[in-house]
């Protein structure tokens, strides 16, 4: 411990929704993203970056969509960094989230947070929760690791400074990320140094955004050093705007925005990287970084009924008190449409600092140029450029120090990746500071580890967790590993990376071979029928594809993921009959699941039975995993209950 500051490992009891089981379905379906369209005046760099590097799927990560709305008091590991001026609380088991940041001088919480965590469908893997500061890597969206444990350890620097280190292997881009957080004695800011390492022999598309939820009061204003911004909408469009005069409204005051909006501030190349959110007393979070973290963003939910409903959905009010929030964010690129090329073997590091901006409230509320000039002065006083560069140098010097004490274990996928690369003679990282211990390997990695060790003679199991990589496909194609499991996993991997119809046809052929083998397990057979159905739908075989999805559900009638997906795809392809058939066959526990109940109501409406759909909606439907921007419940109510006001619980429309 450094005199005047401390790092304490403790626990925090939080009302937490149960995350539930991960989906057993391989995530081979395309990511749900709007088309990217850029308007006049958008720089070529942004336009080009928006068209390059997008991830096709979230595979091999499984979806996290098994949660419900009920919460229970749950004890989580918490790491507390504290000095005389600040107290920062991190939750390594939930993506390393910086959950709480308290300014001791004012007693104010600089982050939107609470004592209840409610999951909702806003992330790349579905599950996400509002509050604190999160770290997003991989591709556009909330990170695959945002609701998963990170490896966490205590590191001690040669000067005695204690550092919280968190790290993980990102399976989407196959890179390693590392976050070192520390709070020096008497420092008005907590530092977080982020390091990304690309061990691959090729350039990878890189994406990083740090997302901070800040309390939104009537007097909150967000300030960044830019005259213009790139505004985006849920339809994927982008336009150049003046945020201080957006359709006649000064949108830098979140509460003045009538609808949800994103504003990516256009910081000049030589401008300091900062953004602040100040309340009516001038207090609020300053998010400052070194130059590599280029982008700055303001997100608001908007003052519509849908915006308010989403805020209540994500952060249920306690005691009838509504607590709204906005988000200020910092990223590698200017906008979240883009990916940045990360060269083979590259290692990138930057440092971020968080503290109370402590602005003069009159100047914070002044005209935009005056407010920006004052913000720059206060940011410089809070954390000067020299002190930020010194923090970056300190972080670089500590980056490879070995952990002194392990706190939380992340996944075993990093340990498997090391074994895979060694077996293939490929490069890997120096693990001295970020070890992926063999002790983290679990049953998920065991079949693949055995495959690497060339045990041979044993057919590969179809029940193995999913991985990706051409070297895995080659190993599975080895006659020594032949069997339905190898065929099935080869089909999944080919389908996940398929870019052309012939590749999808190849995947379909492998699925058929696997299904023809009597050794395929019941669960494997259901997933193979499902994979075959998806491949057929993607190549225009609607009737055959739907038939295969129905077969998958018949093989495993109790599989809620198969049923939900099959009903959804039936409706998307305009065939409500099979959806109603599946709903009628569903076991009673599944029929009551919110998403399935809604799909059943929608199927009745599409089948010409609006009265049945209206009755179901009036009885009540709650969909825990309603997707951000999804207006289906609102739209269905208006369709089947014309002339009636949409009930408050169904007002999720963001348009």
């Amino acid at each position: 411990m450094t005199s005047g500051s401390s790092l304490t490992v403790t626990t925090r009891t939080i009302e937490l929704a149960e995350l539930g089981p991960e989906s057993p379905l391989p995530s081979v379906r395309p990511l749900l993203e709007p088309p990217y369209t850029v308007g006049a005046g958008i720089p070529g760099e942004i336009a080009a970056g928006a068209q390059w590097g997008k991830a096709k799927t979230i595979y091999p990560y499984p979806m996290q969509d098994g949660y419900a709305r009920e919460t229970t008091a749950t004890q989580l590991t918490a790491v507390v960094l504290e000095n005389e001026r600040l107290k920062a609380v991190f939750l390594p088991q939930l993506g390393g989230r910086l959950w709480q940041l308290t300014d001791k001088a004012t007693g104010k919480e600089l982050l939107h947070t609470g004592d209840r965590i409610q999951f909702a469908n806003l992330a790349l893997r579905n599950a996400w929760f509002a509050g604190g500061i999160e770290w997003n890597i991989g591709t556009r969206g909330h990170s695959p690791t945002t609701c998963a444990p990170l490896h966490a350890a205590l590191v001690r620097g040669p000067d005695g400074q204690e550092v919280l280190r968190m790290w993980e292997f990102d399976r989407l881009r196959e890179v390693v990320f590392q976050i070192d957080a520390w709070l020096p004695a008497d420092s008005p800011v907590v530092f977080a140094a982020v390091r990304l390492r690309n061990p691959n022999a090729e350039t990878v598309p890189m994406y990083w955004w740090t997302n901070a939820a800040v309390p939104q009061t009537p007097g909150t204003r967000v300030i960044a050093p830019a005259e213009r911004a790139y505004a985006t909408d849920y339809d994927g469009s982008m336009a150049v705007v003046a945020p201080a005069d957006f359709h006649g409204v000064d949108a830098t005051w979140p509460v003045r925005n009538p609808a949800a909006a994103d504003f990516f501030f256009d910081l000049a190349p030589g401008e300091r990287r900062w953004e602040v959110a100040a309340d009516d007393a001038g207090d609020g979070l300053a998010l400052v970084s070194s130059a590599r973290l280029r982008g700055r963003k303001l997100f608001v939910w908007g003052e519509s009924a849908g915006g308010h409903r989403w805020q209540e959905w994500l952060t249920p009010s306690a005691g009838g008190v509504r607590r709204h929030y906005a988000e200020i964010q910092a990223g590698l690129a200017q906008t979240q449409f883009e990916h940045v090329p990360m060269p083979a073997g590259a290692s990138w590091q930057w440092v971020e600092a968080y503290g109370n901006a402590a602005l003069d409230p009159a100047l914070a509320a002044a005209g935009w140029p005056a407010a920006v000039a004052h913000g720059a002065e206060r940011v410089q006083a809070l954390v000067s450029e020299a002190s930020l560069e010194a923090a970056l140098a300190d972080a670089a010097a500590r980056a490879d120090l070995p952990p002194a004490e392990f706190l939380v274990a992340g996944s075993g996928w990093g340990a498997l990746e090391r074994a895979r690369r060694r077996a293939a003679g490929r490069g890997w990282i120096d693990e001295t500071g970020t070890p992926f211990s063999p002790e983290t390997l679990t049953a998920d990695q065991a079949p693949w580890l055995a495959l690497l060790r060339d045990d041979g003679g044993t057919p590969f199991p179809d029940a193995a967790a999913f991985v990706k990589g051409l070297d895995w496909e080659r190993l599975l194609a080895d006659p020594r590993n032949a069997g339905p499991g190898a065929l099935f996993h080869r089909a999944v991997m080919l389908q996940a990376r398929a870019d052309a119809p012939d590749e999808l046809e190849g995947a379909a052929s492998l699925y058929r071979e696997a299904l023809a083998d009597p050794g395929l397990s019941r669960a494997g057979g259901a997933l193979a029928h499902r994979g075959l159905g998806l491949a057929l739908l993607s190549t225009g075989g609607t009737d055959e594809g739907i038939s295969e999805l129905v077969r998958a559900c018949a093989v495993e009638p109790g599989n809620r993921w198969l049923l939900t997906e099959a009903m959804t795809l039936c409706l998307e392809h305009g065939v409500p009959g099979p959806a109603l058939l599946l709903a009628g066959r569903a076991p009673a526990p599944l029929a009551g699941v919110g998403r399935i109940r809604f799909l059943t109501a929608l199927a009745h409406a599409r089948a010409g039975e609006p009265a049945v759909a209206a009755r179901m909606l009036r009885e009540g439907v709650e969909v825990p995993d309603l997707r951000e921007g999804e207006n289906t419940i609102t739209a269905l109510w208006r369709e089947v209950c014309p002339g009636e006001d949409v009930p408050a619980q169904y007002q999720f429309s963001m348009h």
Side-chain angles (χ1 to χ4, degrees):
M1 174 166 55
T2 301
S3 176
S5 69
S6 65
L7 185 156
T8 306
V9 182
T10 181
T11 59
R12 180 65 57 93
T13 299
I14 297 175
E15 280 291 319
L16 180 68
E18 184 180 352
L19 194 54
E22 294 178 337
S23 171
L25 312 184
S27 303
V28 296
R29 294 181 65 193
L31 286 172
L32 296 175
E33 287 195 351
Y36 297 91
T37 57
V38 294
I42 303 297
E45 174 189 2
I46 294 177
Q51 300 304 319
W52 176 80
K54 290 182 289 184
K56 183 187 303 296
T57 70
I58 198 63
Y59 185 86
Y61 286 105
M63 300 301 285
Q64 296 174 308
D65 54 3
Y67 53 86
R69 295 291 294 174
E70 295 77 20
T71 62
T72 57
T74 305
Q75 198 171 77
L76 297 172
T77 298
V79 180
V80 181
L81 306 184
E82 189 169 8
N83 65 13
E84 295 299 317
R85 306 173 76 168
L86 286 177
K87 180 179 180 180
V89 180
F90 292 82
L91 302 178
Q93 291 163 298
L94 288 173
R97 190 78 60 105
L98 172 48
W99 184 237
Q100 215 168 349
L101 185 61
T102 309
D103 176 49
K104 292 186 173 182
T106 62
K108 290 185 176 179
E109 296 296 339
L110 302 181
L111 300 173
H112 171 78
T113 189
D115 56 4
R116 179 175 175 176
I117 290 177
Q118 188 72 64
F119 297 115
N121 185 1
L122 281 82
L124 289 165
R125 295 175 66 190
N126 188 310
W128 182 81
F129 63 99
I133 294 179
E134 66 167 327
W135 332 95
N136 297 296
I137 188 173
T139 193
R140 182 182 181 184
H142 296 282
S143 178
T145 54
T146 197
C147 291
L150 300 185
H151 299 280
L154 167 64
V155 173
R156 291 189 178 91
D159 58 354
Q161 178 68 60
E162 293 183 324
V163 177
L164 167 63
R165 174 167 298 160
M166 300 179 288
W167 69 98
E168 187 52 282
F169 171 65
D170 173 62
R171 303 179 70 200
L172 186 64
R173 300 304 190 186
E174 299 181 4
V175 301
V176 174
F177 68 92
Q178 167 186 345
I179 303 157
D180 284 4
W182 73 100
L183 180 60
D186 199 39
S187 173
V189 295
V190 60
F191 292 103
V194 179
R195 181 166 67 155
L196 309 179
R197 285 182 282 176
N198 175 16
N200 300 289
E202 60 278 336
T203 295
V204 298
M206 187 45 57
Y207 173 102
W208 180 281
W209 280 80
T210 298
N211 180 6
V214 294
Q216 178 184 305
T217 71
T220 298
R221 191 184 199 188
V222 173
I223 304 169
E227 289 290 335
R228 68 176 197 167
Y230 307 108
T232 64
D233 204 344
Y234 280 91
D235 63 2
S237 62
M238 181 190 297
V240 180
V241 304
D245 186 10
F246 183 59
H247 300 308
V249 172
D250 187 342
T252 63
W253 304 82
V255 76
R256 297 182 185 179
N257 285 270
D262 288 322
F263 299 98
F264 296 97
F265 292 101
D266 183 20
L267 274 65
E271 187 65 65
R272 261 202 100 182
R273 311 305 196 205
W274 62 268
E275 186 176 11
V276 302
D279 63 17
D280 53 6
D283 295 314
L285 183 72
L287 194 167
V288 191
S289 76
S290 50
R292 186 178 288 277
L293 208 60
R294 180 180 183 182
R296 289 297 183 275
K297 173 187 169 183
L298 163 64
F299 168 75
V300 295
W301 281 106
E303 298 306 300
S304 67
H308 287 177
R309 177 61 175 141
W310 269 110
Q311 298 242 32
E312 178 67 19
W313 185 253
L314 293 167
T315 310
S317 59
V321 178
R322 284 185 173 178
R323 295 183 300 112
H324 288 182
Y325 73 96
E327 295 174 2
I328 62 174
Q329 304 182 24
L332 280 175
Q334 284 184 282
T335 75
Q336 287 171 345
F337 280 40
E338 307 160 75
H339 295 89
V340 178
M342 187 175 191
S347 176
W348 291 349
Q349 190 171 41
W350 65 87
V351 68
E352 305 175 27
Y354 321 117
N356 189 350
L359 304 187
D360 179 307
L363 291 173
W368 186 247
V372 170
H374 175 60
E377 292 174 359
R378 292 303 305 144
V379 164
Q380 179 67 11
L382 179 70
V383 53
S384 68
E385 291 184 79
S387 61
L388 203 62
E389 288 302 314
L392 182 58
D394 289 343
R398 287 194 293 256
D400 289 313
L401 289 178
E405 179 183 347
F406 291 93
L407 307 176
V408 170
S411 78
W413 295 112
L416 180 68
E417 184 68 9
R418 178 186 62 235
R420 173 175 85 124
R421 288 174 183 261
R422 285 180 177 173
R426 297 171 60 192
W428 183 233
I429 64 164
D430 177 354
E431 284 192 25
T432 304
T434 53
F436 293 101
S437 169
E439 283 74 23
T440 62
L441 291 163
T442 69
D444 282 343
Q445 293 85 38
W448 301 104
L449 200 60
L451 188 64
L452 283 179
R453 289 172 177 167
D454 195 25
D455 289 351
T458 303
F460 192 79
D462 58 60
F466 299 103
V467 300
K468 71 173 182 177
L470 293 177
D471 47 350
W472 291 123
E473 294 184 45
R474 285 191 289 268
L475 286 170
L476 290 173
D478 188 314
R480 291 175 298 175
N481 303 307
L487 289 167
F488 168 69
H489 278 277
R490 286 171 60 198
V492 169
M493 284 185 254
L494 179 55
Q495 186 173 31
R497 64 176 173 81
D499 284 318
D502 64 320
E503 290 178 313
L504 285 171
E505 290 166 4
S509 178
L510 288 168
Y511 280 127
R512 288 191 176 99
E513 285 188 65
L515 286 165
D517 192 313
L520 190 66
S521 72
R522 185 180 184 87
L527 294 182
H529 279 298
R530 178 258 186 176
L532 177 56
L534 294 181
L536 291 168
L537 288 175
S538 296
T539 53
T542 301
D543 292 342
E544 291 178 280
I546 294 297
S547 294
E548 288 296 332
L549 296 179
V550 172
R551 288 190 185 98
C553 293
V555 173
E556 279 208 312
N559 188 318
R560 60 175 285 188
W561 293 273
L562 285 173
L563 178 60
T564 300
E565 181 182 70
M567 291 183 68
T568 300
L569 288 169
C570 286
L571 293 168
E572 287 181 1
H573 286 80
V575 284
L580 288 173
L581 176 68
L582 289 169
R585 292 176 177 174
L590 291 190
V593 171
R595 172 66 70 177
I596 293 170
R597 183 170 168 78
F598 168 71
L599 290 169
T600 304
L602 184 59
H604 279 294
R606 295 293 169 266
E609 301 171 333
V612 178
R615 174 178 57 78
M616 294 181 71
L617 290 184
R618 290 192 178 101
E619 289 173 354
V621 174
E622 184 177 75
V623 182
D625 66 331
L626 192 73
R627 181 74 181 173
E628 178 190 10
E630 182 181 346
N631 301 320
T632 49
I633 296 182
T634 305
L636 182 60
W637 178 275
R638 289 174 175 158
E639 176 187 335
V640 301
C641 303
E644 298 183 41
D645 291 338
V646 180
Q649 69 266 29
Y650 295 155
Q651 291 187 5
F652 288 97
S653 176
M654 300 304 297
H655 302 287

